Amino acid sequence: WKDLLRDSVEINGEVLHGESFHGPDRIVGKLTRNILSLDELLQANSTSDPKQTRITETQAVTYARDILLACDRTRSGGDSYFCAENLFLNRDLVVLVPSSTEANPLSIK
């Protein structure tokens, strides 16, 4: 949750900032609404029983959480750092220093 406070997320072209008022809540809510809207659109164009295949709001929140965790910079950055560190095991010759520049918003489409 605290990672979302430091990040910006672009969802279908709209950028939401984590440090803004209720930023993480707004990010999760926007992504959840998009998931539910897409499900509704797919159901309208489907010939199967809509009650049987409908995504619940709880499932949509869970999917939104999973998507945000999958694109979390802390996790992916840490994984990348670990891989690079293992590639260059001679710590007397190689020093890895993460870049602290501001990154572009995470983009979810």
Side-chain angles (χ1 to χ4, degrees), residues 35-86:
I35 291 168
L36 289 170
S37 294
L38 180 60
D39 180 55
E40 187 176 317
L41 180 67
L42 293 173
Q43 290 300 320
N45 295 324
S46 175
T47 57
S48 63
D49 180 17
K51 291 181 183 177
Q52 192 172 27
T53 58
R54 197 69 204 250
I55 293 176
T56 66
E57 190 171 324
T58 302
Q59 288 173 314
V61 170
T62 301
Y63 297 152
R65 182 203 63 199
D66 290 348
I67 290 167
L68 290 167
L69 285 173
C71 62
D72 175 38
R73 281 190 235 273
T74 301
R75 178 177 292 164
S76 63
D79 291 346
S80 300
Y81 185 87
F82 176 77
C83 290
E85 184 179 45
N86 281 326

Side-chain angles (χ1 to χ4, degrees), residues 86-99:
N86 281 326
L87 284 172
F88 307 107
L89 284 175
N90 190 340
R91 290 182 180 89
D92 294 329
L93 294 175
V94 177
V95 177
L96 296 176
V97 180
S99 173

